[in-house]
Amino acid sequence: MHNEQEIEISIKDVKSLMEIYDIEVSSLDGWVPVVDFIEKGDWLEYKLIIEDGREVLVNENHLFETIDGWEYAKNLCDKEYNFLTDSGVQKGIVKMTGNVIPIVDISVGHENQRYYTNGISSHNSGKSLTKTHLAAQVLSQGKNVLYISLEMDEIRIAERIDANLFNIPLETLKSLPKDEYVKKFKNIINKSNGRLIIKEFPPTSVSEIHFRALLNELKLKNNFIPDVLFIDYLSIVASSRMKMSNSTSYSYLKSVAEELRSIAVEFDIPIVTSQQSNRSGINSSDIDESNIAESVGIAFTADAMLALIKTDELDALGQILIKQVKNRYGSLDNPRKFVLGVDYSRMKLYDVEDFAQETIIQDSNPINKFGSESKPDKSKFSGFKI
């Protein structure tokens, strides 16, 4: 807690306290700042019980840290695993209770993105950083952005984009005096005429029908036509053609991807969204189409796919590895892999020195560094849809 006051609170109480205090939470990395509070809506309940009797209630996509790396709660069901806790390694087991509960999460300002939940190491919400960074960059180029969130509060999305555009830490943004905020905001407006609209919906409550209606409404009532549509994220979008109860996850999420792509074609706009990796992809230093969680059918539908890969070595350098998994617009080898710097406090990605690329291995061979002779052709990344 702020002013070095240490207390134990429920995670649901973080939201109200963040409005008053600067909050830090205990983790394997020491005390780390809380930068976001996310309400995820209602989900099926999973319960982790460790050997000393402590429990954590989560949803299926919650990540726990085991001695073998990060694992989703849904993949830990009914088998005993060794979990990292504030009192060392402890055995535990995850059970699906059958209850439906509201799920909340926090995001922390540390490159390892982890914190203790009732003393058990957990991974925070981190998927939105790349999309909010890209949204900020599109805005700074004078383009219009529609950002649809099915996981995070509209205000939290706006804060992340503001932190990126203002180039200040999220914690600083929250305490920024109004006149200084207005000054920075006007500076951004003077540099760019891009417009941003953020819409929040409950998870799995909306489909391409709602998105299509929203796009038409914004055009008619607000004279707003987005240049890029961001959707956070694919697996919590509903299908308009299929019911999940009557479908496999493969066919259901493939249907969702196809429906989103139909919007991209109809409205002639790129759609940027994301999907988690499966169990084998979580701790892997190399990811391909087979590592997409729940439905490889998503890869069959997408025009382009980038994998975001984290390792302990890259975390120590404040970097993330990007790999082209699919590209209908050009070669996968221009380049196949590259690294970017990550500033979690400012929700930013940034270019790193050329020599950092030299250590990235592509198909067992070092890739060329980005020099004047070998810069990636940015035109090959233009026009991406979903």
Side-chain angles (χ1 to χ4, degrees):
M1 284 291 295
H2 186 57
N3 294 332
E4 300 182 353
Q5 180 183 358
E6 182 179 333
I7 62 173
E8 185 173 315
I9 60 172
S10 169
I11 191 170
K12 65 182 177 60
D13 296 326
V14 169
K15 183 177 182 180
S16 58
L17 289 175
M18 283 181 68
E19 298 173 358
I20 306 172
Y21 303 103
D22 295 326
I23 296 179
E24 294 184 340
V25 63
S26 181
S27 78
L28 278 166
D29 306 298
W31 290 91
V32 293
V34 178
V35 297
D36 267 330
F37 178 88
I38 305 100
E39 297 180 78
K40 296 188 171 184
D42 293 336
W43 290 79
L44 282 174
E45 178 187 74
Y46 287 69
K47 180 191 291 187
L48 167 63
I49 306 172
I50 60 173
E51 56 187 310
D52 67 7
R54 285 183 288 178
E55 301 179 354
V56 182
L57 302 179
V58 298
N59 71 344
E60 61 181 32
N61 294 323
H62 188 92
L63 282 165
F64 288 112
E65 192 167 11
T66 74
I67 61 171
D68 298 314
W70 294 102
E71 296 284 0
Y72 291 115
K74 62 185 176 184
N75 295 330
L76 296 169
C77 272
D78 301 324
K79 292 183 180 179
E80 193 173 79
Y81 287 84
N82 291 305
F83 294 86
L84 302 189
T85 78
D86 58 3
S87 55
V89 176
Q90 291 205 36
K91 295 185 183 299
I93 190 168
V94 173
K95 296 285 187 180
M96 186 171 66
T97 68
N99 300 325
V100 175
I101 60 171
I103 293 294
V104 297
D105 197 2
I106 60 174
S107 183
V108 298
H110 189 277
E111 61 266 24
N112 289 336
Q113 300 182 67
R114 60 185 176 181
Y115 63 95
Y116 285 131
T117 306
N118 204 12
I120 301 155
S121 188
S122 300
H123 199 286
N124 72 189
S125 292
K127 296 183 300 301
S128 299
L129 183 147
T130 304
K131 289 189 290 295
T132 51
H133 169 82
L134 291 174
Q137 298 310 300
V138 171
L139 281 169
S140 66
Q141 295 171 28
K143 305 295 185 180
N144 293 336
V145 170
L146 174 59
Y147 197 112
I148 295 175
S149 175
L150 290 88
E151 182 178 48
M152 190 181 297
D153 182 88
E154 293 175 5
I155 295 176
R156 300 303 178 195
I157 295 292
E159 287 176 344
R160 286 169 173 243
I161 294 174
D162 283 350
N164 184 294
L165 290 172
F166 295 172
N167 196 29
I168 60 176
L170 267 173
E171 309 93 274
T172 303
L173 176 69
K174 297 175 189 297
S175 58
L176 200 66
K178 182 179 179 180
D179 57 344
E180 191 171 344
Y181 178 91
V182 172
K183 181 180 178 180
K184 289 182 177 293
F185 187 77
K186 287 182 177 179
N187 286 338
I188 296 297
I189 293 176
N190 291 335
K191 295 177 182 177
S192 168
N193 59 356
R195 298 168 63 190
L196 168 67
I197 291 180
I198 305 171
K199 297 293 291 185
E200 177 191 0
F201 298 97
T204 69
S205 67
V206 289
S207 69
E208 53 89 16
I209 294 175
H210 303 86
F211 301 152
R212 183 175 280 104
L214 175 61
L215 286 164
N216 287 324
E217 181 182 8
L218 291 174
K219 180 179 180 180
L220 179 65
K221 296 182 178 180
N222 299 76
N223 193 30
F224 178 86
I225 301 174
D227 294 292
V228 184
L229 169 58
F230 293 86
I231 298 177
D232 194 8
Y233 56 100
L234 187 145
S235 67
I236 50 178
V237 175
S239 171
S240 63
R241 298 180 297 173
M242 306 179 70
K243 291 186 177 181
M244 186 60 184
S245 58
N246 299 328
S247 312
T248 63
S249 61
Y250 171 90
S251 58
Y252 187 83
L253 293 179
K254 185 174 186 292
S255 177
V256 171
E258 291 169 345
E259 292 162 14
L260 293 182
R261 192 178 187 281
S262 72
I263 294 178
V265 173
E266 178 182 342
F267 289 88
D268 193 27
I269 56 172
I271 295 179
V272 180
T273 187
S274 58
Q275 173 65 357
Q276 295 167 324
S277 63
N278 58 22
R279 182 176 181 177
S280 61
I282 295 175
N283 303 308
S284 176
S285 60
D286 195 16
I287 293 177
D288 57 30
E289 295 179 359
S290 66
N291 296 121
I292 300 172
E294 300 180 280
S295 179
V296 73
I298 296 169
F300 299 154
T301 306
D303 290 321
M305 294 187 67
L306 299 176
L308 277 63
I309 301 169
K310 287 167 56 67
T311 65
D312 291 340
E313 293 79 8
L314 286 168
D315 282 344
L317 295 171
Q319 297 174 353
I320 190 168
L321 172 63
I322 312 294
K323 176 186 177 182
Q324 283 199 81
V325 176
K326 181 178 181 180
N327 186 354
R328 287 177 176 163
Y329 298 98
S331 170
L332 285 175
D333 296 320
N334 193 26
R336 173 63 65 91
K337 298 177 181 178
F338 55 96
V339 291
L340 293 174
V342 186
D343 185 339
Y344 291 99
S345 67
R346 290 173 170 81
M347 298 294 147
K348 269 185 173 296
L349 301 174
Y350 57 89
D351 292 331
V352 296
E353 297 294 333
D354 289 350
F355 68 81
Q357 310 299 337
E358 296 177 351
T359 60
I360 304 304
I361 303 301
Q362 175 184 310
D363 296 333
S364 300
N365 294 308
I367 65 171
N368 294 329
K369 72 176 183 178
F370 295 168
S372 58
E373 299 291 326
S374 58
K375 288 185 179 180
D377 183 359
K378 294 182 179 179
S379 66
K380 293 185 181 297
F381 295 90
S382 63
F384 279 3
K385 299 186 187 300
I386 185 173

